[in-house]
Amino acid sequence: MEQDYVGMATDVSSYSNEAELELGLGLSLGGGGGGGLLKAKGSPWGEYGKLMTAKDFPSGFCGTKRASDYGGGGPPDVGYSASPGVSQVVGWPPLRTYRMNSLANQAKVLNDEEEKRVGGNDECNEENMDYGSNKNDTTVKDNGQLGFVKVNIDGMPIGRKVDLNAHACYETLARTLEEMFCRLSTTINSNRSGGQEKGKATQPSKLLDGSSEFVLTYEDKEGDWMLVGDVPWGMFLSTVKRLRIMKTSEANGLDWESTASLGEHSIIVLEVHMPSRIDLNNRSHSRLSPVLIVAFY
Amino acid sequence: MMNYFPDEVLEHVFDFLESHRDRNAVSLVCQSWYRVERFSREKVFIGNCYAISPERVIARFPRVRSLTLKGKPHFADFNLVPSDWGGFVLPWIEAMARSGVNLEELRLKRMVVSDESLELLARSFPNLRSLVLVSCEGFTTDGLAAIASNCRFLTELDLQENEVEDRRGQWLSCFPDSCTSLVSLNFACLKGEVNLAALERLVARNHNLRSLRLNHAVPLDALQKILMQAPQLVDLGTGSYVHDPDSDTYNKLKSAVQKCTSIRSLSGFLDVAPRCLPAIYPICLNLTSLNLSYASLIHNSELIKLIHHCSQLQRLWILDCIGDKGLGVVASTCKELQELRVFPSDIHGVGSAAVTEEGLVAISAGCPKLNSILYFCQQMTNAALITVAKNCPNFIRFRLCTLNPTIPDPVTMQPLDEGFGAIVQSCKGLKRLSLSGLLTDQVFLYIGMYAEQLEMLSVAFAGDSDKGMLYVLNGCKKLKKLEIRDSPFGNVALLADVGKYETMRSLWMSSCEVTLGACKTLAKKMPRLNVEVINENDLIDASSDDRQKVEKMYLYRTLVGPREDAPEFVWTL
């Protein structure tokens, strides 16, 4: 019974007919058509109305196995990582944040050293790596003690924390956030009843009634709020201080239709279009290729 | 007869009572003992900062000089408690400052400590000697600067695993030249740079320094210089332990270490160059405590080489990359071992670097003095637990954490009920137990039957029905803290014996089957409990349906009613 907990993600994502599920609610900030929560291919949304595949993302995004789940291939395999779901359980294994961050940072150092060794100077041998150089020390220091950053969503008073070190790309981060904020009440209730009762997803109903749409933003080291996705992942990591899932009431012409249900579930996929540099204070947007999906239940 | 002794005699007798539990007991005997005890108590321990108000504590113990406070529930360590839940130390510091308490020691765990609190602390208590912060948050290095600048008699500044924002100040440089009283300085958890020259000077002038734990920003060459100045150290936490082993600096380090014949406790190694490890071999023989649990860069074989030198270890904290074989080496080398903690080194993927039941069995067989274990492992079997129980009947603390929280015995595919049952039956002095793995109500039956000394129980993803929780509540007479997550215990269990909760410090239940209505019922029946409901998705209010399940419930006994600093997502019923 409890084992279903970790497998629940896949249970939920058992769609009947994937071809029809080109879910695309394009949150186009510079124009574009109206919002549709559930669209078939060839909808007026056009290029908005498709699920992003990994190839649509700029370099630096990971090509996970879930890429094949996208683009009409299948439902998003939400919240399911390579490991048997262990790392997706909030607060398990029970380790203090401090310790988790520390381990993650060291893993990063190892990876960085690995990369240097692989792609670096021929003269660099393992022994040199052993005692390191100032550069290695700097790497550790620059990356700082990353790990858990706070994330808030507009409309919910309670923030969460997300472990950035658990992710190698925006895709997995988005999925984790979607899980975090939409499945809080569904997770264990689903678990208890073996996945039948999907619980009271009150969060989705706020989304679903058409009154809100969201973009994922972050505060950088300078204190500015930026849209997530506009810089390579590594750069993002080095500058992010905290995250905020923000409402964008400026979005043009978006009209949230009532959700179509798939059995007991409703899915919205939100494409967020990110210009390369956006000043949220000025709200001057222009439309560029989409780089982030946030999917809510 | 004791009533006819003058108070001074009673006080003198009570002086021999160290533990707060003994003093609490003594104060219940009669009015005069209560009176004498309260005026003579200098060390006050408050296990839950919301169980009592600072004013009442000061009123009862006006001579308090040392205060220990704990704030957030234990599961806050694992991100299960929203960060604004509470646990603020400021009201306590303000109250003590107002009342002119002569505070000398402050020890805080899981509390929110602001810079403002630290500044007030530093200004208000000229005799402050000791500040210990464990798993706290809310402060920056500016607050530390205030402490360093103002506390002229500071002997101990001990920061353990806190979330501290680095303000790039020079807090360490704020210790005045006149500061020569330091005995213990631990800033290992700080993320930022420190002024190395200031650190070296500080160490040089504090000849009583016994315990020094550096952060990762202190490089090996600075360590070498520090050790030259402080050969009297008993407890050392290295910073970054990385250098060229063929260098002059490293050789100097080797000779500095050799002079440190008093070191009994070693930790740190956040960055480590394994080839530099031999420098510490000379002190390994004397080590009683070794913490390598942050040193994920030390390879298995080097770990084992190191362990071979450490035959006097009583406490070992290590990462699971030591492997079962490595634990075998520990078992055959460390015959004095009392406490072992094995932490996971790879939590994001399926690592091969993990330990199994074999390592635990080896330890139990080789270390007869073992009484405390925290063990993160890939898997566990009933047979192994039964063997461990037989080998080690002296466990006081037994915490097992399988990386997959509901994994059964992989050999028999059975739940781990029998294994844990053996542990509680054999270890008659068991005070703390954490369960994991596939578990049914049966394990709780065993716990209720046998765990007579159990004070703290942690449950996750376990049990089948209310019966499980009822077994524990009915059976464990000394239970103080019960924390449960993701288990199917509901209203029947919660409400069966409401009086029980006044005998306990607290109960945490999250993602269980308890409803709002039941919490309300409980709160109504027991006015001396605070029943807090934390609902993150839905703000629970008067209009909420009683049948709604509460995500998180935290209840605790209190003498001062609902707290006033609860945020809006916490509703005290």
Side-chain angles (χ1 to χ4, degrees), chain B residues 148-178:
Chain B
S149 310
N150 294 301
C151 301
R152 298 191 307 148
F153 303 117
L154 197 68
T155 61
E156 181 178 24
L157 178 60
D158 186 359
L159 308 171
Q160 297 176 32
E161 298 190 336
N162 303 291
E163 294 289 317
V164 186
E165 190 186 320
D166 184 62
R167 283 277 167 88
R168 296 179 206 285
Q170 295 281 335
W171 71 274
L172 202 71
S173 316
C174 292
F175 282 108
D177 289 341
S178 53

Side-chain angles (χ1 to χ4, degrees), chain B residues 31-51:
Chain B
Q31 290 280 4
S32 62
W33 282 35
Y34 177 88
R35 183 174 36 85
V36 171
E37 195 285 315
R38 70 176 260 254
F39 281 113
S40 65
R41 194 182 307 205
E42 293 182 344
K43 285 196 175 143
V44 176
F45 171 84
I46 307 285
N48 174 6
C49 64
Y50 290 121

Side-chain angles (χ1 to χ4, degrees), chain A residues 1-6 81-111 113 126-134 136-138 140-142 144-146 148 150 152-153 155-167 180-193 197 200-206 221 241, chain B residues 76-80 82-84 109-110 134-135 137 160-163 165 168 188-191 193 216-217 219 240 242-246 269-276 291 293-297 317 319 343-350 376 400-408 435-439 460-464 485-488 511-513 534-539 547-549 551-552 568-569:
Chain A
M1 183 174 51
E2 274 87 283
Q3 277 132 333
D4 283 346
Y5 175 74
V6 291
S81 69
S83 82
V86 166
S87 62
Q88 301 303 321
V89 180
V90 174
W92 197 272
L95 291 170
R96 281 191 186 148
T97 308
Y98 174 78
R99 185 175 285 282
M100 297 258 246
N101 287 351
S102 178
L103 284 177
N105 276 299
Q106 288 177 38
K108 211 195 311 265
V109 169
L110 266 175
N111 284 340
E113 286 190 357
E126 195 158 333
E127 305 216 339
N128 285 342
M129 287 303 173
D130 235 349
Y131 63 86
S133 60
N134 278 339
N136 272 351
D137 288 345
T138 312
V140 174
K141 284 168 201 160
D142 279 354
Q145 296 272 332
L146 247 200
F148 283 87
K150 288 190 177 172
N152 284 75
I153 184 169
M156 237 158 68
I158 296 142
R160 305 284 306 214
K161 282 188 189 175
V162 65
D163 180 6
L164 291 181
N165 286 310
H167 302 281
M180 206 179 265
F181 285 100
C182 295
R183 299 163 78 79
L184 282 175
S185 58
T186 63
T187 48
I188 305 307
N189 290 333
S190 308
N191 170 37
R192 286 284 86 71
S193 40
E197 182 219 350
K200 314 141 190 80
T202 51
Q203 173 63 23
S205 69
K206 282 186 197 156
K221 285 210 162 95
K241 266 176 55 177
Chain B
D77 278 347
F78 317 132
N79 281 337
L80 288 179
S83 50
D84 307 323
K109 189 167 186 181
R110 277 190 292 274
V134 179
S135 204
E137 57 165 357
Q160 297 176 32
E161 298 190 336
N162 303 291
E163 294 289 317
E165 190 186 320
R168 296 179 206 285
C189 66
L190 295 189
K191 300 166 194 169
E193 308 280 325
H216 79 103
S240 166
V242 168
H243 218 276
D244 175 4
D246 298 319
F269 301 100
L270 297 164
D271 299 326
V272 53
R275 286 180 66 222
C276 293
N291 181 355
S293 65
Y294 288 101
S296 63
L297 300 173
W317 291 22
L319 287 170
F343 291 96
S345 55
D346 182 9
I347 48 185
H348 293 305
V350 183
F376 286 82
L400 191 80
C401 180
T402 54
L403 293 173
N404 176 343
T406 56
I407 190 172
L435 307 169
S436 64
L438 185 64
L439 295 163
F461 303 97
D464 308 311
R485 63 166 291 187
D486 295 275
S487 301
S511 303
C512 298
E513 303 288 311
I534 302 168
N535 250 51
E536 296 180 87
N537 277 342
D538 250 347
L539 289 183
R547 287 164 300 177
Q548 190 177 350
K549 289 194 194 146
E551 281 173 50
K552 298 176 183 179
E568 54 171 358
F569 54 83

Side-chain angles (χ1 to χ4, degrees), chain B residues 129-131 152-158 175 179-186 202-203 205-213 230 232-236:
Chain B
R129 278 164 219 286
S130 177
L131 179 61
R152 298 191 307 148
F153 303 117
L154 197 68
T155 61
E156 181 178 24
L157 178 60
D158 186 359
F175 282 108
C179 169
T180 56
S181 49
L182 281 177
V183 174
S184 170
L185 177 61
N186 172 8
L202 185 68
V203 171
R205 65 178 181 273
N206 280 278
H207 305 291
N208 291 326
L209 198 63
R210 290 284 176 276
S211 170
L212 180 63
R213 296 190 184 187
Q232 78 281 4
L233 283 179
V234 172
D235 169 32
L236 173 66

Side-chain angles (χ1 to χ4, degrees), chain B residues 364-391:
Chain B
S364 73
C367 306
K369 299 189 182 177
L370 195 67
N371 61 42
S372 172
I373 187 139
L374 170 62
Y375 197 74
F376 286 82
C377 57
Q378 195 84 280
Q379 63 182 45
M380 184 53 56
T381 65
N382 283 310
L385 285 174
I386 291 168
T387 305
V388 168
K390 231 189 323 212
N391 291 339

Side-chain angles (χ1 to χ4, degrees), chain A:
Chain A
M1 183 174 51
E2 274 87 283
Q3 277 132 333
D4 283 346
Y5 175 74
V6 291
M8 176 191 51
T10 39
D11 288 345
V12 157
S13 44
S14 54
Y15 293 73
S16 46
N17 190 342
E18 290 102 48
E20 281 164 16
L21 290 182
E22 291 296 341
L23 304 173
L25 177 65
L27 184 61
S28 152
L29 301 175
L37 292 177
L38 198 53
K39 298 255 172 229
K41 260 186 197 159
S43 73
W45 277 88
E47 68 266 40
Y48 296 95
K50 72 176 172 73
L51 297 175
M52 304 313 297
T53 61
K55 63 173 163 43
D56 291 317
F57 296 103
S59 63
F61 279 52
C62 59
T64 63
K65 64 176 166 104
R66 277 175 277 166
S68 59
D69 296 329
Y70 281 80
D77 195 4
V78 288
Y80 213 74
S81 69
S83 82
V86 166
S87 62
Q88 301 303 321
V89 180
V90 174
W92 197 272
L95 291 170
R96 281 191 186 148
T97 308
Y98 174 78
R99 185 175 285 282
M100 297 258 246
N101 287 351
S102 178
L103 284 177
N105 276 299
Q106 288 177 38
K108 211 195 311 265
V109 169
L110 266 175
N111 284 340
D112 289 348
E113 286 190 357
E114 195 60 42
E115 280 170 20
K116 282 204 191 93
R117 207 182 1 244
V118 167
N121 197 338
D122 283 347
E123 284 155 15
C124 279
N125 56 30
E126 195 158 333
E127 305 216 339
N128 285 342
M129 287 303 173
D130 235 349
Y131 63 86
S133 60
N134 278 339
K135 214 158 138 231
N136 272 351
D137 288 345
T138 312
T139 308
V140 174
K141 284 168 201 160
D142 279 354
N143 288 341
Q145 296 272 332
L146 247 200
F148 283 87
V149 293
K150 288 190 177 172
V151 50
N152 284 75
I153 184 169
D154 286 1
M156 237 158 68
I158 296 142
R160 305 284 306 214
K161 282 188 189 175
V162 65
D163 180 6
L164 291 181
N165 286 310
H167 302 281
C169 59
Y170 291 110
E171 191 183 285
T172 60
L173 173 63
R175 232 180 256 113
T176 299
L177 290 177
E178 136 228 321
E179 228 195 33
M180 206 179 265
F181 285 100
C182 295
R183 299 163 78 79
L184 282 175
S185 58
T186 63
T187 48
I188 305 307
N189 290 333
S190 308
N191 170 37
R192 286 284 86 71
S193 40
Q196 262 126 32
E197 182 219 350
K198 283 311 159 184
K200 314 141 190 80
T202 51
Q203 173 63 23
S205 69
K206 282 186 197 156
L207 289 170
L208 297 177
D209 66 9
S211 66
S212 55
E213 48 273 329
F214 293 89
V215 284
L216 182 58
T217 64
Y218 70 100
E219 184 183 15
D220 68 10
K221 285 210 162 95
E222 276 87 56
D224 298 321
W225 285 92
M226 318 292 301
L227 279 178
V228 167
D230 58 350
V231 297
W233 177 255
M235 203 185 301
F236 166 69
L237 282 190
S238 67
T239 190
V240 61
K241 266 176 55 177
R242 57 186 164 137
L243 298 169
R244 182 171 154 206
I245 302 175
M246 189 186 286
K247 292 183 188 176
T248 52
S249 32
E250 263 87 309
N252 298 336
L254 280 180
D255 199 19
W256 290 68
E257 299 175 357
S258 56
T259 54
S261 295
L262 304 155
E264 292 153 336
H265 319 298
S266 311
I267 292 95
I268 312 157
V269 174
L270 197 68
E271 280 180 14
V272 182
H273 298 266
M274 309 286 186
S276 59
R277 210 75 190 159
I278 182 169
D279 180 353
L280 287 175
N281 295 326
N282 292 338
R283 301 247 195 268
S284 59
H285 313 303
S286 60
R287 211 192 68 207
L288 291 176
S289 55
V291 294
L292 182 70
I293 292 179
V294 178
F296 291 101
Y297 278 75

